[in-house]
Amino acid sequence: IDWGADIIHGNHPHWYQPIEWYNGKPIFYALGNTVFDQEWSRETKQGYLAKLYFSGKNLLKNKLEIIPVGIKDFGQAYLLEGEEKSRIVAEINTSR
């Protein structure tokens, strides 16, 4: 970000991590899974999509939609709702 990036996105641990905002720009350390065939834990069966908004080429600062997803039947993604959705959004936005 200090070198001009508007978004940083990493991923590896198969568990979603909170988003960090640095100088008004998001750092996504891990979005978790959206398709994964190892269903041994709740954490590996959940993730999220991040919907970012732009005006032309410019990222709109702090405008972001979190879309929590679950995985069932060894790889079928579905949108989470209710308490599960609210819990994930709250956990992800801890540094906001």
Side-chain angles (χ1 to χ4, degrees), residues 24-89:
K25 297 177 180 180
I27 300 173
F28 301 97
Y29 291 100
L31 276 66
N33 295 319
T34 51
V35 176
F36 197 54
D37 65 351
Q38 298 175 2
E39 296 192 9
W40 61 75
S41 70
R42 179 185 76 180
E43 291 86 359
T44 60
K45 296 190 299 184
Q46 294 179 336
Y48 69 94
L49 305 173
K51 185 175 181 180
L52 300 163
Y53 292 83
F54 292 82
S55 176
K57 293 182 180 181
N58 299 313
L59 175 67
L60 297 178
K61 293 181 180 182
N62 291 325
K63 185 161 181 170
L64 167 69
E65 183 180 348
I66 300 298
I67 305 167
V69 295
I71 301 170
K72 63 182 178 181
D73 300 327
F74 295 97
Q76 182 179 352
Y78 65 98
L79 298 178
L80 292 175
E81 298 294 334
E83 186 177 310
E84 225 175 357
K85 176 182 177 178
S86 298
R87 178 184 52 78
I88 290 173
V89 170

